[in-house]
């Protein structure tokens, strides 16, 4: 019997995943996702997670970034947010919600009760099969996080967010530049070469 296109595609994904060094490493070290290594690389480069950081991790499922953050943070609060429920992580609070809803943003700000040190977003919109549309939808999530961060971060706070090098990349970059003094881009080695994914690191709010 002929295998369906979808079946073949998911098998290719599984084979790629098993050959992948970061996937293997995540299993060995007990991380829930290979994405954990992207945050490790980002933090090695920019050094934004400290022992006393109050940190928000948006789009956190299955929890790799929250695991990495909670290993470093000893006296700050960590809030992890996703549409999907994650399994518990010690020292990490979790909110299952749609970040785009106003009531979610209210719950987040109430949880911290003060401006935050670090906001991370690895949010990605569900894929539609149309790569250009997928880029736009994920970059829209990044734009939402930039707007939110400009209101909720401490003046010297840091935002790190996923975005795609798609057709609206420059618009999102301009938005980031309008809110932050320092805007840099970095693609970790753990981010697949064939992916248009990159990360923006934003520092020092323009209000300073
Ligand atoms: C690439 S995964 C995150 C991986 C995670 N950083 C890790 O280390 O395991 C992207 C996540 O973004 C979440 N997401 C997408 N849109 C969202 C939204 N509007 N609100 C909350 N989470 C969202 C998805 O549910 C998905 O779990």
């Amino acid at each position: 019997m002929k295998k369906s296109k979808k079946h073949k595609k998911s098998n290719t994904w599984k084979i790629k995943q098993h050959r992948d060094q970061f996937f293997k490493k995540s299993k060995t070290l007990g991380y829930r996702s290979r994405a954990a290594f992207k945050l490790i690389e980002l933090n090695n480069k920019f050094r934004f997670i400290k022992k006393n950081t109050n940190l928000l991790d948006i789009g956190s499922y299955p929890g790799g970034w929250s695991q990495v953050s909670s290993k470093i943070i000893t006296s700050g609060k960590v809030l992890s947010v996703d549409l999907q429920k994650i399994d518990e992580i010690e020292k990490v609070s979790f909110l299952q919600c749609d970040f785009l809803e106003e009531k979610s943003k209210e719950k987040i700000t109430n949880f911290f009760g003060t401006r935050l040190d670090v906001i991370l977003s690895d949010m990605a919109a569900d894929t539609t099969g149309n790569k250009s549309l997928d880029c736009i939808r994920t970059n829209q999530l990044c734009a939402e996080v930039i707007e939110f961060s400009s209101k909720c971060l401490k003046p010297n706070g840091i935002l790190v967010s996923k975005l795609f090098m798609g057709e609206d990349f420059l618009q999102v970059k301009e938005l980031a530049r309008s809110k932050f003094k320092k805007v840099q881009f970095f693609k970790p080695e753990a981010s697949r070469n064939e992916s248009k994914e990159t990360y923006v690191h934003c520092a020092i709010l323009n209000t300073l």
Side-chain angles (χ1 to χ4, degrees):
M1 202 172 60
K2 253 190 169 180
K3 283 184 180 161
S4 71
K5 254 189 185 174
K6 201 175 167 187
H7 185 87
K8 270 190 198 161
K9 211 174 165 187
S10 94
N11 266 348
T12 322
W13 183 84
K14 277 183 197 157
I15 293 164
K16 258 193 194 167
Q17 190 78 324
H18 279 282
R19 282 190 193 144
D20 183 313
Q21 51 150 330
F22 291 106
F23 176 78
K24 284 183 189 153
K25 221 166 141 187
S26 65
K27 295 287 145 212
T28 317
L29 297 178
Y31 288 118
R32 295 175 185 183
S33 59
R34 64 190 295 295
F37 296 102
K38 299 180 194 174
L39 182 61
I40 292 171
E41 282 183 62
L42 281 156
N43 194 45
N44 283 343
K45 179 162 176 65
F46 297 108
R47 303 267 167 208
F48 47 88
I49 309 177
K50 314 252 162 62
K51 282 181 184 172
N52 59 350
T53 300
N54 279 323
L55 178 145
L56 171 65
D57 177 14
I58 317 170
S60 59
Y61 177 89
W65 282 28
S66 289
Q67 284 180 302
V68 171
S69 305
S70 70
K71 281 192 183 184
I72 305 169
I73 298 171
T74 49
S75 56
K77 287 181 172 179
V78 181
L79 179 63
S80 164
V81 172
D82 203 288
L83 295 167
Q84 296 191 66
K85 195 172 183 303
I86 67 165
D87 289 336
E88 248 178 63
I89 300 172
E90 208 182 321
K91 299 186 287 166
V92 174
S93 303
F94 176 71
L95 194 60
Q96 184 174 14
C97 66
D98 181 346
F99 171 74
L100 300 179
E101 289 180 5
E102 273 318 303
K103 61 174 189 260
S104 307
K105 293 178 184 163
E106 240 174 74
K107 281 185 192 166
I108 292 169
T109 44
N110 289 342
F111 172 86
F112 288 99
T114 175
R115 284 183 170 246
L116 288 97
D117 300 300
V118 171
I119 296 180
L120 307 177
S121 170
D122 198 22
M123 273 194 293
D126 280 345
T127 47
T128 60
N130 176 334
K131 284 196 174 158
S132 163
L133 180 63
D134 292 344
C135 280
I136 291 170
R137 291 175 70 229
T138 291
N139 286 357
Q140 192 49 48
L141 294 172
C142 176
E144 285 277 342
V145 176
I146 293 171
E147 291 286 356
F148 177 76
S149 302
S150 68
K151 293 175 205 135
C152 298
L153 274 176
K154 285 182 183 163
N156 277 316
I158 300 293
L159 160 67
V160 173
S161 175
K162 185 207 287 290
L163 81 164
F164 285 112
M165 307 279 292
E167 52 200 78
D168 59 347
F169 172 78
L170 287 179
Q171 271 164 262
V172 184
K173 181 176 166 183
E174 278 320 304
L175 175 66
R177 284 201 168 147
S178 71
K179 307 285 184 188
F180 292 89
K181 285 196 167 54
K182 206 166 176 193
V183 174
Q184 290 166 281
F185 295 89
F186 180 66
K187 183 174 175 74
E189 278 184 22
S191 175
R192 297 180 202 279
N193 284 341
E194 65 270 26
S195 162
K196 287 192 168 181
E197 170 188 82
T198 187
Y199 288 85
V200 62
H201 174 274
C202 306
I204 316 173
L205 280 170
N206 266 331
T207 47
L208 272 187

